[in-house]
Amino acid sequence: MQLWNTYSKEELEQKLREAGHEFVTVSFYKYHQIPNPQIFRDYLYQLLDNLKVVGRIYVATEGINAQISVPTNNFNRFKDDLYSVDFLNGVRLNVAVEEEGAEFPFLKLKVKVRNKILADGLNDETFDVTNIGKHLKAEEFNELTSDPNTILIDFRNHYEHEVGHFDGAILPDVDTFRESLPLIEDTYLKGNEDKNIVMYCTGGIRCEKASAWFKHRGFKNVHQLEGGIIKYANECKEKGLANKFIGKNFVFDERRGERVSDDVIAHCHQCGAPADVHTNCANEACHLLFIQCDECKAKYENCCSNECKEVTHFSLEEQKAMRKGLQNSNKIFKKGRVDHLLAKLNQEKEVSFKH
Ligand SMILES: [Zn+2]
Ligand SMILES: [Zn+2]
């Protein structure tokens, strides 16, 4: 039996359209010791493939991390089947905020075995990732973060908090989670061992590991926002709580962001006008992820520069020939940290000037 599939993007989209399912986009994670991830991976693939679930799942000896779309009709069966797995019984499912976006956030089911579910760069045998900090519900989070002595830390990367973050949060300028652990400890936490520390991220997976790590490092009052921004936004809506998140919640699927408040806090990386829509440069050889306003989108034809725009005017074959031999540098999340995005560079200069 083949436990993966081999269709093209177009074929997959067509198949999903024909199936006519409506999907619910769900994410969940669980830190748990899984002695044999490969066996669990195969089991899970069959279970979810049966239910026509699509999306991407990582399994590792430290746990599972999933972002998937579940056909609405199969949702209850999905929940039952998932909860039938012992350590996943009752696991919190983050349901994405409704918004029009990509037709299908995911096209097929990918279940992969990884070294870790979240790369952390840590190499400490005595660190127990399941010994986590205190979980805060939205209400508790609002209360604790209204205390000026609380240290509130955004545990996401710069391109994420650029478009949205909690009011008053520390926004570390990092590209990766692995980079953020030592940087945050040295810059913001040292000397504050007894203060209340609150962290948050998109769905909780990053600050859960971080909270366990900082407990391990001797910080006593470590808290995390339970379920991350996704659950917080839902909870505030449901319970009519004050929403302290401003802007958009960046997400990694094709939607790139869920609007939480109407504020547009970021700027176009090309002209500096207010904008918070992330886009990938249309030149396949570039693919840079950056923020672009509608005007620049038209002017640059979805590209990050005139050079890239010119490239897209060649035929696909010609573009392929031009790329030949060039390393496809993985810089798409460099968020406009390239010389030609002038508005972006100027913003960063202003920021560092203020500090
Ligand atoms: Zn612009
Ligand atoms: Zn480009």
Side-chain angles (χ1 to χ4, degrees):
M1 183 181 176
Q2 183 177 309
L3 299 183
W4 62 88
N5 68 61
T6 50
Y7 297 101
S8 74
K9 183 173 189 238
E10 289 71 27
E11 287 170 319
L12 288 164
E13 279 178 344
Q14 191 52 36
K15 275 165 71 80
L16 287 178
R17 241 173 252 122
E18 280 165 11
H21 295 303
E22 295 213 7
F23 285 97
V24 192
T25 298
V26 181
S27 62
F28 67 91
Y29 70 87
K30 184 76 186 177
Y31 287 107
H32 178 83
Q33 294 194 342
I34 302 174
N36 195 331
Q38 186 62 46
I39 290 174
F40 181 62
R41 180 262 163 214
D42 290 349
Y43 172 76
L44 201 65
Y45 186 95
Q46 292 178 65
L47 191 100
L48 298 177
D49 193 45
N50 267 333
L51 298 170
K52 307 285 175 243
V53 170
V54 289
R56 127 186 124 40
I57 299 177
Y58 297 130
V59 178
T61 50
E62 69 172 12
I64 175 172
N65 179 20
Q67 280 184 295
I68 50 178
S69 291
V70 181
T72 313
N73 314 340
N74 290 345
F75 193 77
N76 287 334
R77 267 185 65 203
F78 158 76
K79 218 169 150 179
D80 289 346
D81 285 2
L82 191 73
Y83 284 4
S84 72
V85 178
D86 232 14
F87 75 92
L88 293 176
N89 190 6
V91 70
R92 186 189 50 255
L93 302 173
N94 289 316
V95 177
V97 179
E98 287 287 330
E99 194 180 312
E100 88 287 359
E103 186 182 5
F104 303 112
F106 302 105
L107 295 173
K108 57 179 173 180
L109 182 61
K110 288 185 205 166
V111 187
K112 289 185 177 164
V113 173
R114 284 264 173 110
N115 188 26
K116 303 221 174 170
I117 55 170
L118 175 65
D120 52 27
L122 299 176
N123 225 334
D124 185 339
E125 294 284 310
T126 64
F127 170 46
D128 176 8
V129 65
T130 61
N131 181 15
I132 56 176
K134 241 183 254 162
H135 279 205
L136 298 176
K137 298 202 184 308
E139 226 164 343
E140 300 164 319
F141 176 89
N142 280 354
E143 202 183 309
L144 195 53
T145 56
S146 63
D147 177 350
N149 280 319
T150 297
I151 303 178
L152 175 61
I153 301 174
D154 192 314
F155 241 94
R156 301 169 304 153
N157 304 328
H158 57 85
Y159 49 84
E160 299 172 87
H161 55 62
E162 186 179 10
V163 294
H165 55 78
F166 278 103
D167 200 16
I170 292 168
L171 308 171
D173 185 21
V174 292
D175 286 328
T176 61
F177 177 76
R178 129 196 336 249
E179 202 185 305
S180 64
L181 287 175
L183 183 137
I184 286 170
E185 180 170 345
D186 290 346
T187 319
Y188 306 107
L189 298 186
K190 238 183 216 160
N192 290 316
E193 279 72 7
D194 295 317
K195 275 198 180 173
N196 279 321
I197 299 166
V198 178
M199 18 201 156
Y200 69 90
C201 61
T202 313
I205 185 168
R206 286 180 275 185
C207 52
E208 185 154 327
K209 186 177 261 186
S211 76
W213 176 248
F214 289 129
K215 263 179 89 175
H216 179 71
R217 297 286 294 162
F219 295 90
K220 295 186 187 73
N221 304 307
V222 188
H223 308 75
Q224 69 163 114
L225 177 58
E226 185 182 288
I229 301 158
I230 300 175
K231 177 159 182 268
Y232 177 89
N234 289 338
E235 233 179 289
C236 286
K237 246 195 231 163
E238 275 166 28
K239 298 185 184 164
L241 302 173
N243 168 30
K244 296 173 94 174
F245 190 91
I246 41 176
K248 254 168 130 177
N249 179 24
F250 184 95
V251 291
F252 284 91
D253 61 44
E254 291 182 13
R255 295 167 302 156
R256 290 285 183 241
E258 302 176 327
R259 184 158 293 293
V260 180
S261 85
D262 291 334
D263 311 85
V264 175
I265 64 166
H267 297 91
C268 173
H269 290 169
Q270 286 170 310
C271 73
D276 63 4
V277 177
H278 274 101
T279 188
N280 285 104
C281 176
N283 173 13
E284 281 296 319
C286 175
H287 208 56
L288 182 76
L289 182 75
F290 67 109
I291 296 175
Q292 189 173 45
C293 73
D294 287 342
E295 239 166 79
C296 289
K297 197 176 194 69
K299 184 170 152 197
Y300 292 97
E301 299 171 15
N302 301 307
C303 289
C304 75
S305 66
N306 282 319
E307 288 72 29
C308 282
K309 180 171 130 181
E310 273 165 37
V311 171
T312 62
H313 290 169
F314 289 92
S315 74
L316 288 177
E317 283 72 36
E318 283 170 317
Q319 288 184 43
K320 241 184 209 162
M322 291 162 79
R323 284 208 292 275
K324 216 169 179 185
L326 286 178
Q327 276 294 326
N328 188 7
S329 65
N330 190 15
K331 62 177 182 185
I332 73 156
F333 283 122
K334 284 291 177 201
K335 187 202 65 173
R337 282 188 177 160
V338 287
D339 297 340
H340 59 268
L341 291 174
L342 286 180
K344 178 69 216 150
L345 287 178
N346 288 336
Q347 281 166 37
E348 285 191 352
K349 258 186 228 148
E350 267 171 44
V351 171
S352 57
F353 192 67
K354 271 185 225 154
H355 282 212

